[in-house]
Amino acid sequence: MSQSDSRPIGLFDSGVGGLSVLNATRLALPGENLIYLGDTARVPYGTKSSLSITRYAEQALKALLRYDIKTLVVACNTAAAAALDALQASYPELHIIGVIDPGARAAVNVTRTGKIGVIATESTVNNQAYQKAILSLMPDANVKSAGCSLFVALAEEGWHEGELVEAIVKRSLSGLFDHYRDSDDYPDTLVLGCTHFPALKTAISRVVGDSVSLVDSAVTTAAVVKKQLTDRGMLNPGSDGYVRFLVTDGPERFARVAPRFYSETIEAEQVELIDIQHFV
Ligand code: DGL
């Protein structure tokens, strides 16, 4: 095994939300070269079938292979939930990391009572991806999930706080929290199982209360990427990595919405438009 690898890491998401994972990866690994692909032509994935999402994820992977990536980070909870196993089975030689396992692991480390709530898109909830991952680590955990696809639009529009946002959050989370208030089943941990949800962290925390720990899978995924590249001797020897942005539609909108999820400035001219739908 070589002791360093200057090839880029590919990160893939359905759109802009995965920039939260890119942000965390950039902070954890400033020396790595990163290529981010947002499938903005087909976002949102969260309301689509697993069959379609798997096809889209395979096309994204094939597009990123053209950039000679050393690792693929599936930076989209919905895509990881629906397609990670299929991608790993089809490309056993490629190092692929999803956001679900790191998030599940963090939740298990944080919970004291084993009562864990998960909020995610409709598709991720239907796939029970977090449920399975958490139960495989903590078989007696009590995991309840709720679909909150509406939060995706709120996060992209910049509606992150305030009365109206809290009212929507309260209603969306009532099945997980209100129903269990004053009962032993009230969760002590909530997994934000969607790239967009950390943007609503303040509003969510106000609704569920300070006693509930919020788990953000972006940060935990970046830590796993760092550990695995280190263990495999695959870190880039350089200290100042580049970031390249690819989208399948609307570079201008991507650059405009990006600051909600990413702390560095992205100009529309930096964002390359590519077609991935021809990959079969
Ligand atoms: N990136 C998706 C996720 O993390 C949310 C947006 C979508 O529905 O495509 O689940």
Side-chain angles (χ1 to χ4, degrees):
M1 190 200 298
S2 68
Q3 283 314 297
S4 66
D5 191 335
S6 59
R7 290 177 300 161
I9 299 171
L11 296 101
F12 153 65
D13 177 50
S14 56
V16 284
L19 288 173
S20 57
V21 182
L22 181 76
N23 209 40
T25 308
R26 189 113 169 100
L27 287 173
L29 292 163
E32 290 300 317
N33 297 316
L34 306 170
I35 302 192
Y36 180 91
L37 168 58
D39 189 10
T40 42
R42 296 184 289 198
V43 70
Y45 282 9
T47 48
K48 302 211 164 66
S49 70
S50 292
L51 201 67
S52 294
I53 297 163
T54 303
R55 185 161 53 84
Y56 300 165
E58 278 168 356
Q59 290 175 324
L61 184 154
K62 285 178 185 160
L64 283 166
L65 283 179
R66 297 213 159 168
Y67 296 85
D68 194 25
I69 55 169
K70 60 182 171 188
T71 295
L72 174 71
V73 180
V74 182
C76 173
N77 292 260
T78 304
L84 188 68
D85 291 348
L87 297 180
Q88 283 172 333
S90 305
Y91 294 87
E93 71 290 351
L94 182 65
H95 180 223
I96 308 178
I97 298 174
V99 281
I100 306 278
D101 276 338
R105 213 165 275 282
V108 165
N109 287 338
V110 162
T111 185
R112 297 171 312 280
T113 61
K115 311 283 160 45
I116 300 172
V118 177
I119 52 173
T121 62
E122 199 180 309
S123 170
T124 304
V125 169
N126 289 342
N127 278 317
Q128 300 200 325
Y130 274 102
Q131 193 124 354
K132 288 180 200 152
I134 291 169
L135 289 176
S136 75
L137 298 164
M138 189 185 240
D140 58 349
N142 177 344
V143 188
K144 293 189 171 62
S145 334
C148 298
S149 298
L150 186 57
F151 293 3
V152 170
L154 291 179
E156 290 199 11
E157 290 301 321
W159 289 32
H160 298 171
E161 288 179 53
E163 239 172 74
L164 190 53
V165 175
E166 280 177 37
I168 295 170
V169 169
K170 187 165 169 40
R171 174 142 180 200
S172 308
L173 300 190
S174 66
L176 290 185
F177 289 91
D178 286 1
H179 290 178
Y180 300 101
R181 218 166 274 280
D182 303 324
S183 104
D184 285 348
D185 280 343
Y186 195 79
D188 77 339
T189 301
L190 179 65
V191 180
L192 308 180
C194 173
T195 48
H196 290 61
F197 296 178
L200 305 183
K201 228 174 189 168
T202 307
I204 294 170
S205 194
R206 283 173 68 99
V207 169
V208 300
D210 291 345
S211 65
V212 179
S213 306
L214 303 185
V215 171
D216 169 354
S217 60
V219 176
T220 48
T221 299
V224 167
V225 174
K226 182 173 183 175
K227 174 154 188 353
Q228 294 197 3
L229 290 184
T230 307
D231 291 351
R232 290 163 180 245
M234 285 171 69
L235 288 171
N236 184 24
S239 58
D240 188 15
Y242 64 76
V243 189
R244 191 163 169 182
F245 298 97
L246 313 170
V247 294
T248 53
D249 194 23
E252 297 79 16
R253 182 178 193 277
F254 180 85
R256 181 162 43 81
V257 177
R260 317 232 193 271
F261 307 97
Y262 190 63
S263 56
E264 293 172 45
T265 306
I266 305 174
E267 303 294 345
E269 301 70 49
Q270 279 172 264
V271 185
E272 272 170 72
L273 187 61
I274 63 163
D275 178 17
I276 65 172
Q277 296 191 30
H278 60 279
F279 287 110
V280 282

